[in-house]
Amino acid sequence: QLQASGGGLVHSGGSLRLSCAASGRTFGNYAMGWFRQAPGKERDFVAAVNWAGDSTDYADSVKGRFTISRDRAKNAVYLQMNSLKPEDTAVYYCAAARLPYSRNSYDYTYWGQGTQVTVSS
């Protein structure tokens, strides 16, 4: 029901824009989040946006470089990633939660399949 896309290989300092498209149901009343998981590591919170799109939260490691946004009419959420670093390399997942928003992955009910982001040095 959530499909993430937009990942790829980029050089350090480059940019990517991830998209998460929803189908099968409307997520307009859900908070949406992005998480990432690097090989051998736990899934970490990246960013979240509330249902209205007017409140956001970011992990300290991406604050000032990443921007989360949503288009409720299109049932989609985006993650603009600028100034990418090799440590941003991971599989990125979008998720939906019936909360204002949360940094806790356990609060998210619906998950996309993930998209690989690789940042070379």
Side-chain angles (χ1 to χ4, degrees):
Q1 291 179 321
L2 294 173
Q3 180 79 30
S5 62
L9 173 64
V10 64
H11 291 298
S12 181
S15 298
L16 283 174
R17 186 183 190 228
L18 304 185
S19 299
C20 178
S23 62
R25 71 169 29 223
T26 298
F27 289 97
N29 294 326
Y30 285 69
M32 300 297 294
W34 286 97
F35 291 77
R36 65 187 181 187
Q37 188 167 19
K41 296 187 177 181
E42 295 184 350
R43 189 170 297 187
D44 291 331
F45 168 76
V46 175
V49 59
N50 71 340
W51 71 274
D54 58 4
S55 184
T56 57
D57 187 26
Y58 296 93
D60 288 345
S61 60
V62 306
K63 198 171 294 183
R65 300 188 297 122
F66 292 10
T67 303
I68 188 172
S69 61
R70 70 185 302 166
D71 186 330
R72 297 180 71 216
K74 294 183 178 180
N75 213 19
V77 65
Y78 308 99
L79 186 68
Q80 177 66 43
M81 306 186 295
N82 298 329
S83 302
L84 283 162
K85 304 175 181 179
E87 51 263 45
D88 294 319
T89 295
V91 177
Y92 283 71
Y93 299 88
C94 60
R98 296 210 67 168
L99 290 171
Y101 49 66
S102 171
R103 293 188 172 202
N104 191 335
S105 62
Y106 293 103
D107 289 328
Y108 289 78
T109 305
Y110 300 96
W111 289 85
Q113 86 293 354
T115 185
Q116 176 70 47
V117 171
T118 303
V119 184
S120 63
S121 57

